[in-house]
Amino acid sequence: EPEVTQTPSHQVTQMGQEVILRCVPISNHLYFYWYRQILGQKVEFLVSFYNNEISEKSEIFDDQFSVERPDGSNFTLKIRSTKLEDSAMYFCASRGGGTNQPQHFGDGTRLSIL
Amino acid sequence: QKEVEQDPGPLSVPEGAIVSLNCTYSNSAFQYFMWYRQYSRKGPELLMYTYSSGNKEDGRFTAQVDKSSKYISLFIRDSQPSDSATYLCACSSNDYKLSFGAGTTVTVRA
């Protein structure tokens, strides 16, 4: 069964450094998402992406965050200058085209900021 | 007011019992309702997906949506130890931006 893959599974970064989280969505999907889950808290929406542009973003997704689909298969989340509070699990999700299509999630990247 | 409320449990049941999980939501615009299962250090895995009100059955799993009372449920029949996980409800409107509940941790005892 096709799946969303995310790399790395765990990323440790010094505060203030840039980090790029990578995702390969399901191949025929058109809509892409990033969510995060701080330890012990709910999964929270960050951003949605369609047709090479951001569709929606939450208030969490400030100027330090950016997303890109650099080629036909990868979808990336960049955090420009990481803060301690960016430590969380980051999940990528994708959805097929048309209405009534659910989102499928990857296993996440655990980001630890030191 | 939280958009999606879910009792975090934990919930512990003996093998073979029916597991009953539920969430309430506040946003009347929600039309899509999902249940995900999440094992430790894994991503949410889609279990059930429902549009609008009604029931949906898939094997041992039944999802119910009552939009009039803003209440969604998941039932797991003949529960197995492998069903031990955290179950997340999620809702969205036409923007497909998922709002999650806190998740309920379920343990099925052998």
Side-chain angles (χ1 to χ4, degrees):
Chain A
E1 185 173 323
E3 57 182 27
V4 177
T5 56
Q6 291 186 243
T7 55
S9 58
H10 188 196
Q11 174 79 47
V12 182
T13 302
Q14 291 289 330
M15 185 172 60
Q17 296 295 305
E18 174 182 287
V19 66
I20 297 175
L21 310 182
R22 302 182 191 279
C23 170
V24 178
I26 295 172
S27 64
N28 61 345
H29 282 187
L30 301 177
Y31 299 84
F32 314 111
Y33 306 83
W34 284 101
Y35 293 80
R36 79 172 185 189
Q37 185 175 30
I38 294 171
L39 188 64
Q41 297 187 22
K42 291 183 179 185
V43 177
E44 303 173 282
F45 169 81
L46 290 179
V47 67
S48 58
F49 190 87
Y50 170 72
N51 200 23
N52 278 322
E53 59 184 33
I54 290 174
S55 309
E56 282 207 56
K57 57 185 181 180
S58 72
E59 60 272 16
I60 303 167
F61 195 89
D62 61 22
D63 292 343
Q64 297 298 315
F65 290 87
S66 61
V67 289
E68 194 178 32
R69 188 155 162 81
D71 53 45
S73 58
N74 289 283
F75 179 50
T76 62
L77 174 68
K78 182 193 292 186
I79 309 174
R80 187 162 45 240
S81 178
T82 51
K83 307 182 189 70
L84 293 176
E85 55 264 36
D86 293 329
S87 296
M89 285 290 292
Y90 287 82
F91 294 109
C92 173
S94 69
R95 179 172 73 86
T99 58
N100 223 1
Q101 297 292 320
Q103 293 177 37
H104 295 269
F105 285 76
D107 279 339
T109 293
R110 183 156 64 102
L111 178 63
S112 299
I113 307 301
L114 304 179
Chain B
Q1 184 180 17
K2 295 178 183 176
E3 278 204 311
V4 182
E5 301 262 16
Q6 182 178 10
D7 185 342
L11 185 63
S12 179
V13 300
E15 185 175 356
I18 294 175
V19 176
S20 174
L21 304 167
N22 56 76
C23 292
T24 58
Y25 64 92
S26 58
N27 189 340
S28 300
F30 286 158
Q31 295 193 64
Y32 300 97
F33 306 93
M34 288 130 282
W35 286 94
Y36 288 88
R37 178 173 62 195
Q38 187 175 26
Y39 293 114
S40 180
R41 301 211 180 263
K42 290 287 191 178
E45 172 194 2
L46 181 69
L47 282 178
M48 300 292 281
Y49 178 66
T50 310
Y51 170 68
S52 196
S53 282
N55 295 353
K56 186 173 184 179
E57 191 172 315
D58 184 1
R60 296 185 296 112
F61 298 91
T62 299
Q64 292 182 349
V65 176
D66 182 348
K67 289 189 73 179
S68 63
S69 56
K70 297 190 178 69
Y71 191 88
I72 62 176
S73 305
L74 177 71
F75 301 95
I76 308 173
R77 290 184 299 282
D78 188 25
S79 57
Q80 305 295 312
S82 57
D83 293 327
S84 298
T86 296
Y87 290 82
L88 307 170
C89 62
C91 312
S92 78
S93 60
N94 285 338
D95 62 9
Y96 295 98
K97 191 173 61 175
L98 297 183
S99 292
F100 281 87
T104 301
T105 301
V106 174
T107 301
V108 181
R109 308 185 306 272

